[in-house]
Structures are given as C-alpha cells and as structure tokens.
Amino acid sequence: MPIHFRTLIALVAVAVSSIAHSQVKVVSLHPLIGDLARQVAGKNAVVIDAVKPGGDIHHFEPTAKDVAGMKGALLILASGKGLESYLSNLRDSVPGIPVVEVGRTIPSVKIEAGQEVFYCCPAHASGAIDPHWWHSAENMRRAARVIADALGEVDPANKEAYKTAGAAVGQQMTELKTWAQQQFASIPRSERKLVTAHAAFGYFCKEYGFKSLPILGLSRQDEASAQYVAEAVKTIREKGIKAVFAEDQANPKVLREIVRETGVTMGESLVADGTSPGASTFATMFKHNVNAITKALQVTRQ
C-alpha cells in the first residue's frame, strides 16, 4: 500500500475519532445552572456561562457578542420562572437552538402576605413568583434530572450517561438536604426566622421550616419605602427576631438602619443570586448560607 494512501487512511481515522468524541456545546444563563450542567454532562459537553460569576442575573441582557458566542450550541439552559425577561428575543436571535427553562416544572413560591413562609412582603413584590428556586436542594435534584433529559435529547448517543450522571448528582443534592436538616435541628421552629435584604429565600424557607421577612423586592437593586421599613422594624420587634442577614452583592444600608433601630445582630452576608465569585456553585453557596444562618441563630440563643 503506497505511503500517501496509508497516511490518508490514518488522517480519516483521526477525523472520525475526533467527531465521535466531540463535545456538545451548551450555554448556561446562570452560573448555578452551568455548574449543574457540567456535573451532569461530564466530558461529553462543554458548558459556557453567558452570565459570569459576579454578574447580575436580574438585569443581564445578552449583547450581540454574547449571542455570537452562542453560535454552534446545541442547547441553551435558562433558569426560568420569569427571571430572564429577554428569553423571547433570545429565541428569535438563535433560531434552531432549543432553550430549556430548567425551573419551569418546579412548583413555584409566590411572594405574598399570608403565604406560609412569609410574615409580610414588599408591596411592589406582592403576587410575584419568586424565581430563586435554586435555594432548595430538592429543587436542584429535580433540575439535575431536567438537564440530563435535555442533554439526552440533543445528544442521544450519550443519553444513558447523562441519565446516570443526573441521578448521581441528584443523590448528592439529597445528601446536602439531609445535612442542612441536621444543622438546623438545634434551632427550634419558633426561632426559624429569616430576615434578608431581598425576597430571594422563599424556597429555602419552605424547605427548612423558616418564616421569611424580606425587606426589599425580588431584585437586589429594589428599594424599600420608609413605610415598609417601619413595618419591618415593628414585625422584628413583635416576633422577637434576633438576627438579620445582608447579601453578598446587595447594599446593606437598609438592614444597617434596621439594626440601629432594633438592636438585632447582623449575621454573615448570605449568597442570594448564586453569582458570588467565591460561591457560584450550589454546594459552596448552600453550605455557606446554612452555616451562616445556623451560626447567627445559635449565637443569639445563648
């Protein structure tokens, strides 16, 4: 066999091998979803974060450069529940690429007074759906399955691998949920009161039996009126709340004012949107928040 023909065969073999092992390109519109997708996909996909750690998920709008970077993707993963108001325009900009709202099938928590997890709510957030579903370990378990199914649709050759990995990630989430329940076991139900800057912890409170008092609305840029701050101060005093929690990327000004007026403890800042540069994976964010809440409430009980 001539040398050049052998060389040609070798090149074809390499090319076929490369195609067989090529990675699926996936775009994530939230760092936590991107992290989850990487765990489920393993080596079968490369996941690109359109929203980088440190970004603002509430006010992100894809630029022309962002859209261009999505070219060649087989799948775009969004958080859903109205968080990405630009999804309709994005779908028009990337025809043919499926956009999956990972949180769409997860039961929603509504921001409204009278709801079991809220003491009261800012008027401008009342009636809205809390989009921060990723604060629940159980929800993240469901999300891993949704992502595995979506990857299997666009890459059927690796469907079983995605399914197996999704189940494994789901088991990790179940273990994290059990761990959190154990951490909170020492805090009586009557003392599980979570005062935060904005209304981001409804799913967390529902999962672990806390009552939530958000000072602001759904976005970290929302502002509270003087009347609502006064109502919050009254509620904190009436309910015997001992600690409040700022957030890592939100202005703590209003909470500091409340601390001055009530004398409550300012707990360690929580990660609310999952975009903190130091906690942009679910495990790191979740463990940080559970530890911060437990520490503050245990200290105030001594």
Side-chain angles (χ1 to χ4, degrees), residues 230-253:
E231 291 175 358
V233 167
K234 181 181 178 182
T235 301
I236 287 170
R237 287 172 174 162
E238 288 178 348
K239 303 298 181 182
I241 293 170
K242 301 298 191 298
V244 300
F245 297 88
E247 292 157 26
D248 67 313
Q249 292 171 286
N251 191 332
K253 180 180 177 182

Side-chain angles (χ1 to χ4, degrees), residues 17-232:
S17 176
S18 176
I19 292 172
H21 294 89
S22 62
Q23 293 177 304
V24 172
K25 180 178 178 180
V26 177
V27 174
S28 167
L29 302 178
H30 192 298
L32 293 181
I33 302 243
D35 170 59
L36 202 60
R38 289 184 188 91
Q39 294 183 61
V40 174
K43 297 179 180 180
N44 294 315
V46 57
V47 181
I48 298 170
D49 290 315
V51 182
K52 303 293 190 296
D56 185 346
I57 55 173
H58 290 282
H59 295 89
F60 172 78
E61 288 281 347
T63 63
K65 183 178 179 181
D66 291 324
V67 173
M70 298 177 189
K71 184 177 180 181
L74 294 187
L75 179 66
I76 296 175
L77 297 172
S79 179
K81 295 196 182 299
L83 179 67
E84 300 97 347
S85 59
Y86 55 82
L87 281 189
S88 180
N89 290 335
L90 179 61
R91 285 187 172 98
D92 291 339
S93 300
V94 289
I97 303 177
V99 179
V100 173
E101 297 179 52
V102 179
R104 186 178 63 82
T105 59
I106 291 172
S108 298
V109 167
K110 242 185 177 181
I111 311 289
E112 57 187 5
Q115 240 250 30
E116 61 175 334
V117 298
F118 295 102
Y119 278 124
C120 53
C121 306
H124 56 274
S126 182
I129 289 176
D130 180 356
H132 304 82
W133 56 265
W134 54 82
H135 282 297
S136 157
E138 176 61 24
N139 287 349
M140 291 298 274
R141 182 189 68 79
R142 295 182 182 185
R145 186 174 58 204
V146 171
I147 291 172
D149 289 343
L151 286 167
E153 286 292 319
V154 298
D155 183 21
N158 292 302
K159 185 174 184 177
E160 288 305 312
Y162 296 135
K163 183 177 180 180
T164 300
V169 173
Q171 179 58 36
Q172 292 172 19
M173 297 304 166
T174 298
E175 291 170 1
L176 281 172
K177 179 180 177 180
T178 300
W179 169 80
Q181 290 169 331
Q182 292 170 345
Q183 298 302 111
F184 291 140
S186 61
I187 303 173
R189 291 271 172 174
S190 61
E191 295 186 27
R192 296 187 189 185
K193 301 162 184 174
L194 192 63
V195 181
T196 57
H198 78 289
F201 292 89
Y203 296 90
F204 180 93
C205 289
K206 185 174 183 179
E207 186 156 278
Y208 301 105
F210 281 78
K211 280 276 193 175
S212 173
L213 177 60
I215 304 302
L216 307 177
L218 290 169
S219 168
R220 66 171 93 131
Q221 271 75 37
D222 287 340
E223 296 182 3
S225 67
Q227 179 182 357
Y228 184 75
V229 171
E231 291 175 358

